[in-house]
Each structure stands twice: as C-alpha cells, then as structure tokens.
Amino acid sequence: MKNILTVSCLLMICFAATAQNSYQNYYDASIIPKELLPYASAVIRNEEISNEVKDLDNTIYHVKRVITILNQNGDSKLDLDVSYDKITSIRYIKGLIYNEYGKPVGKITERDFDDYAETDGFSLFIDDRVKHYKKAVAQYPYTIEYEYELKSKQSLAFADWMPNNESGVAIEKSAYTFICPPEFTMRYKQFNLPSNVTVGKNKDLMKTYTWQVTGMKARRDEPFSSYPEKLVTRVTVAPQKFTYYGVTGSFTSWKELGKWLYDQLLVPRQQLPPETIEHVKEITKDISDPKLKAKRIYEYMQEKTHYVSVQMGIGGIQPFPASDVDKQNYGDCKALVNYTQALLKAVNINSYYCVVKSGRNYNIGMMDDFPSINQGDHIILCIPFKNDTTWADCTSQTIPFGYLGKFTDDRTVLACTSEGGKLIHTPKYNTITNLENRKASFVIDNDGGLAGSMQTIFKGAEYENREYFINESQTKQYKFLQKQYPINNLTIDHLDFKQDKSFDPVTIENVKLHARDYASLSDGKYYFMLNAGNRITEPPKQLRNRQNDVYITRGRTNEDEINYTVPAGYRLEKVPLNVSIEKPFGKFTATMSLNGNKLTYKRKFQLIDGTYNKDTYQELVDFYQSVADADEYSVVLIK
C-alpha cells in the first residue's frame, strides 16, 4: 500500500510539473514563432473577445488577452484602458504578469488602475470614465495576461473587432464571438478576413457568430497609406431592434436610423424662447437673400456662444435643448448645430443635422451599404438652398459661414431629416483651390544682411493654416513664424493678418523682416540659400516591400516667387537652377534668373490627391528628394 501511495504521489508531482512547465512555456517569450517577430514590438499570444446580448437592455462585453511586450515601444500597445459610464459598469478586472521565461511575477487587480474622467481637455461635463493600468514592469520582454468584463444597459452600439489595429503588433491567435438570442437580428460587415464567419449555437441555444485569425505578422506604419481601419482585419456589428439609454428603436437602413435620431433626439429639443425668435427675425428683416440671411444667423450664433464639449445626456448622442444653449451661451457640436437649426427655422430656413466622421489626415465617409450609429464622431450643419447647398461647422467662433476645411471636407455624412436619414457628400477642396501663394521682395546688402517683405495668401483647405494662432499674442506669432520660415537670425519687424470671410475665404499674411548674415561672404563671393520661403527638407522614409497602395488624402498647390536685389557687379558662378518634374501624383518646377542685380526665383509644387499603386512609392520618395535638393540650392555670386 505504501508503495502504491508513493508511486501515485510521484505521478501527481510529475503531472503537476509537466503541466506547470507547459503552462509557463506558453508564456515564454523565446517560443514566439520567429516569423512573427519582424516589425513587432508586441505579440498577442492569445485573445478572446465576445459581445453577448442577453436582452435589449443587457449586453456583456468580455475581453481576455495575453500579450508579450518585446521592448519599450510595445508598452503603448498594451491597450489596458477600460471605459465605463452610467449605463456601462465594470464587472471585474484581473490579470497576471509573467517575466520573459513565462514565470508569474505579479498580479493585476483594480487597485493597479488609475480612475479618471475620460475628458479631452476642454469638456465641461462628461459621463465617461476610464480605468487606466499603471504599468509597473521595467524588464523586457514581459507578458501580461488580463481579463475584464463590462455590463451595459444598451444594444445600439457594439465595439468593433480589429485584432491588428495597432501597427507593430503581431498576433498568434485572436477570436471574436457575437452571441445573441435566436430572435435577435444583427447585421455584420467584415474586412480583410482570410476566412468567413462560423455560425452556430452554444449550449444555451444562443446564436453564435465567430471569427478567428492566426499567425498575423505585425503591420508597419507606411507613409502615405489609407485610413488604418480600411487596411486592418475588422468586423463591425449593428442591431435591428435596440434599446439605448431607455429609448427603443429599430433600423435596417440609413433612412430609418436618421429618422430615429430626428424624431427621438432632435425635434423635442429645438424650442426657443419667443424673445429669441423675435430677435433673429429683427436682425434679418432687411436681408432678402436666404443664404445671406443664414450667414447673418450663423454669425450671430458665433458671437453669442462658445464651444464646450458636453458629453452627457443620451449616451453623448442627444444635444442639449436649444433653449438651454440660448440661456447658457455654450454647447458642444451637437448642441450648437441643433441651436443654429432652431434659429434658422425661426426665419423659415430649412437645414439638416449631419453626422460625420471627422479628421484632417483622412477623409472617411459613412459606409453606404452598412448603417450603424458608431461611424460618426462629430456634427455639422447642411443648408440645402436651391442649387446652392451650403455647409457650416458650428463649433468655431471664427471660421467663415460655408467653410468646412480639412476637418470634415470631402466625405459622406448622414443627414437627419423629417423624412428620414439620407447620405450626402461634403464639398471637396481640390489641388487647385488648396492654394498657398507667396510673394517676397528682399534686398541682400553688402554685409550679407537680408531685409524685405513677404505676403502669403492661403485659400481653400489652406485657409486654416494660420487660423489656430491668428488670435495669439504677438510674441507667440513671432516665435511661430521664426520656426516656420527657413531664415537664420530672422527678426520680424511687423506682422499682420487680413481675412476675407466671404463664401470663398482667404487669409493673407504680411510680414516685414530682416536677418543678419543671411548671405555669407568668402573670397569675394556671396553664398545664400535661394528658397527663403517654403522648403521641403527631407523625403518620406525609404521602405522595402511596401504593402499598401499610396494614398494622398488632399491635393494642394504651393506657389512662391522671391525677387532679390543683390549687390551690383556680380554674376552667377554656377548653372542657374532649372528643374521641372511631372508625375501622376505631383508636379514641381523651380527656376531662377539674374538680370543685372535683380535675381528672381520661382517655385511651384503640386500634390495631386488619389490612390496610386504601391509600386509608385519609390517614385514618390524620389520626387520629394528632387524637390528637397532643389529647395537646398545655394546661390554663388562672383564678380
């Protein structure tokens, strides 16, 4: 009997040791497949994510992830920020920390998280909060295994699954499951998936939709690439029937979703005090043109209100009442658009409350074949005048009526109307209209000093290039321009801005300046940089085996003309600059001439928006390098 017990104990010890080794070996960083390491600063070893609909007002979001951080760059890939609000609660958070050999070295509990309001720095009120994990590991590589679960009282918005959303992260295995009752109808759209969804039932007879990926290499950040969400593996889900902050609804089309937003969230909040209605009628009574009347009301709104982010109410998607904005003189994008709509309505001008995906780097529009609530993050106003649709962003106190700029131009938006939602497109600022035109007149004296004046005109999407600092102090403006212009020892003698805020707005910058030792004198020769206004200093980085097509979001034109008066009696020592390049994605010319003591430099750079084959990238790099070389041209004058 004693021998049997001894053998049994030995077997149990061996089994436990084997299990422990196997368990720890899984987290050992050295066993990560070598093919996943290129470009990776972190590797997701295993990931299991699920959304479960128990009822329309009871959904569960579950995340379980094991991620190995390979180096310091991987710390930001940990993605252990957990957001919650008044209808979404955190059921639990837990985790373990392992060293590079897969040995447990610590635990993660809720005490290891900071808890703070999820603010953007200018919000007055906000519902959302976030728990942020305070990393306490300094030795690389390390592995963190964590798990958390959220319970939400809504079924309108579900988080997308994007396993390779972060560049520099490789994936051994990731799976996403959507679970719902048989009677719950959902729609999904998948992108860049190697295999289709698996549909089934679990032990509770709930419907299950499962997607899975394995062995995904890390993505590189590649300059001039499209919006990341277009490039990565992604699944997005939307319901038919839903409950959201106690409000129910259903939709299968943009028309139905826009109608729900209009009826449930907007119409009840557009009442104005009688005295305000009378006031807007009074200030527009002498204006017959409806567009000019709308312009006056927009400017009144700008004068009266200011923008403050107010992420409260029905999940941050319902605006404050127009009467509250009228009384308090502030609001977020939703509230200010709703308020402006109400003001326009008071003088019988119809307008649309439009949901848009904002951003200056990419123009992302609503998917025409997949309506869902979480595709937009900003609200703008559309005024459909006959044969002249006009747009307005109501969050700025300074931008002109009818101007959108880079933040919301050229993209499909959802307009919420009394007839329902409809998709419409915002205006596009093209290569020609996006203009930065600069003219300068400089004198180079016998000691090499530079003095003169320079005027720059900004139009189209370039209009806003000075907008964010135009009302700053003179000291800040001077410091900005001293960094902006490539003139050593630059001193600004005078600076002013003029803005034409008509329907084709223009910003004009006038600068008087001087700079000592701009030209150097050596052995009887003058040396100075020809381009004193607008230089490209380096091309995009070189890439081998590029994966993505070349994407140029927005075209533009830069035109520069600088006239120098140089010391008399000198001639050019080397061949004058004369460059001309034309590519499908851009054009560049740069020329110079010297007549007597008058030297003229002309430069024109154009970038043409569009999507180009990935093999074009090297041409783009070479194009920029040629421009940079021309911009570094140095004049040598000799007697």
Side-chain angles (χ1 to χ4, degrees), residues 13-242:
I13 291 169
C14 291
F15 177 78
T18 302
Q20 185 181 31
N21 287 336
S22 174
Y23 180 71
Q24 291 181 0
N25 282 342
Y26 179 79
Y27 299 103
D28 190 331
S30 67
I31 66 170
I32 296 172
K34 297 296 185 287
E35 61 270 19
L36 295 183
L37 295 178
Y39 310 117
S41 53
V43 179
I44 292 176
R45 317 294 292 277
N46 186 52
E47 181 178 68
E48 298 170 12
I49 299 177
S50 66
N51 270 309
E52 182 177 0
V53 179
K54 293 183 175 292
D55 206 338
L56 293 185
D57 61 355
N58 184 8
T59 62
I60 304 296
Y61 181 62
H62 180 264
V63 174
K64 184 175 182 180
R65 182 178 287 120
V66 181
I67 182 169
T68 296
I69 308 301
L70 301 176
N71 51 50
Q72 189 173 1
N73 292 332
D75 287 336
S76 62
K77 317 296 183 182
L78 190 55
D79 191 26
L80 194 39
D81 288 346
V82 184
S83 298
Y84 65 101
D85 55 34
K86 65 182 181 183
I87 67 162
T88 302
S89 58
I90 300 173
R91 299 183 76 178
Y92 63 84
I93 303 176
K94 60 184 180 180
L96 291 170
I97 304 170
Y98 301 86
N99 65 15
E100 64 178 302
Y101 305 109
K103 180 180 178 181
V105 293
K107 291 183 178 182
I108 297 174
T109 68
E110 285 199 46
R111 292 191 300 272
D112 299 310
F113 289 76
D114 288 324
D115 190 311
Y116 51 83
E118 194 169 17
T119 178
D120 44 25
F122 47 80
S123 295
L124 181 63
F125 305 115
I126 196 161
D127 276 344
D128 296 349
R129 297 191 66 81
V130 63
K131 286 186 179 291
H132 170 72
Y133 173 63
K134 300 174 291 185
K135 184 185 79 72
V137 184
Q139 184 94 21
Y140 300 96
Y142 64 90
T143 296
I144 287 188
E145 175 186 30
Y146 64 88
E147 184 176 2
Y148 65 86
E149 194 165 271
L150 305 177
K151 181 179 180 180
S152 184
K153 298 177 182 179
Q154 64 90 21
S155 51
L156 174 59
F158 298 99
D160 288 357
W161 177 57
M162 294 187 289
N164 61 335
N165 184 43
E166 288 267 16
S167 61
V169 180
I171 299 165
E172 286 194 55
K173 180 183 177 183
S174 177
Y176 171 65
T177 302
F178 190 90
I179 307 163
C180 60
E183 67 275 11
F184 184 86
T185 301
M186 56 84 84
R187 294 171 293 108
Y188 66 85
K189 191 173 179 67
Q190 59 186 41
F191 304 83
N192 306 313
L193 271 159
S195 59
N196 286 321
V197 62
T198 300
V199 181
K201 293 182 179 180
N202 64 13
K203 59 182 177 61
D204 299 320
L205 300 181
M206 301 276 275
K207 286 191 297 184
T208 61
Y209 301 80
T210 302
W211 292 265
Q212 181 174 302
V213 295
T214 59
M216 297 185 75
K217 295 182 179 179
R219 291 191 303 108
R220 287 186 299 179
D221 282 323
E222 296 183 339
F224 291 96
S225 289
S226 185
Y227 187 51
E229 288 190 11
K230 287 188 174 183
L231 305 174
V232 303
T233 294
R234 177 185 172 202
V235 173
T236 185
V237 173
Q240 180 177 341
K241 294 182 179 179
F242 63 88

Side-chain angles (χ1 to χ4, degrees), residues 347-361:
V347 293
N348 300 314
I349 295 177
N350 184 40
S351 61
Y352 301 151
Y353 179 101
C354 295
V355 185
V356 60
K357 176 67 175 177
S358 63
R360 290 180 170 83
N361 294 328

Side-chain angles (χ1 to χ4, degrees), residues 266-279:
L266 303 181
V267 172
R269 303 207 152 204
Q270 290 194 337
Q271 287 73 33
L272 287 172
E275 57 271 24
T276 299
I277 293 174
E278 289 305 312
H279 180 69

Side-chain angles (χ1 to χ4, degrees), residues 15 106 279 308 329 399 409 508 535 638:
F15 177 78
H279 180 69
V308 177
N329 298 332
I399 64 173
D409 72 316
I508 301 174
R535 295 183 201 160
I638 186 173

Side-chain angles (χ1 to χ4, degrees), residues 291 295 390-391 398-405 429 433-436 456-465 467 498-508:
K291 187 171 181 178
K295 182 175 185 288
T390 299
W391 298 82
T398 59
I399 64 173
F401 177 67
Y403 181 78
L404 291 181
Y429 303 100
T433 57
N434 297 335
L435 177 65
E436 183 178 311
T456 307
I457 296 173
F458 302 92
K459 301 184 69 174
E462 304 300 294
Y463 166 84
E464 61 192 79
N465 279 10
E467 187 70 18
K498 293 184 175 69
Q499 288 190 302
D500 175 358
K501 296 193 176 186
S502 64
F503 297 124
D504 186 18
V506 178
T507 295
I508 301 174

Side-chain angles (χ1 to χ4, degrees), residues 445-493:
D445 63 27
N446 291 329
D447 296 323
L450 179 79
S453 61
M454 180 161 56
Q455 182 182 85
T456 307
I457 296 173
F458 302 92
K459 301 184 69 174
E462 304 300 294
Y463 166 84
E464 61 192 79
N465 279 10
R466 297 294 189 259
E467 187 70 18
Y468 72 95
F469 90 113
I470 205 167
N471 293 316
E472 293 285 354
S473 68
Q474 187 180 81
T475 300
K476 288 185 177 180
Q477 290 178 345
Y478 282 16
K479 286 183 178 179
F480 172 84
L481 290 186
Q482 285 169 335
K483 294 179 180 178
Q484 188 76 12
Y485 290 118
I487 301 174
N488 290 334
N489 308 313
L490 173 61
T491 297
I492 296 174
D493 302 313

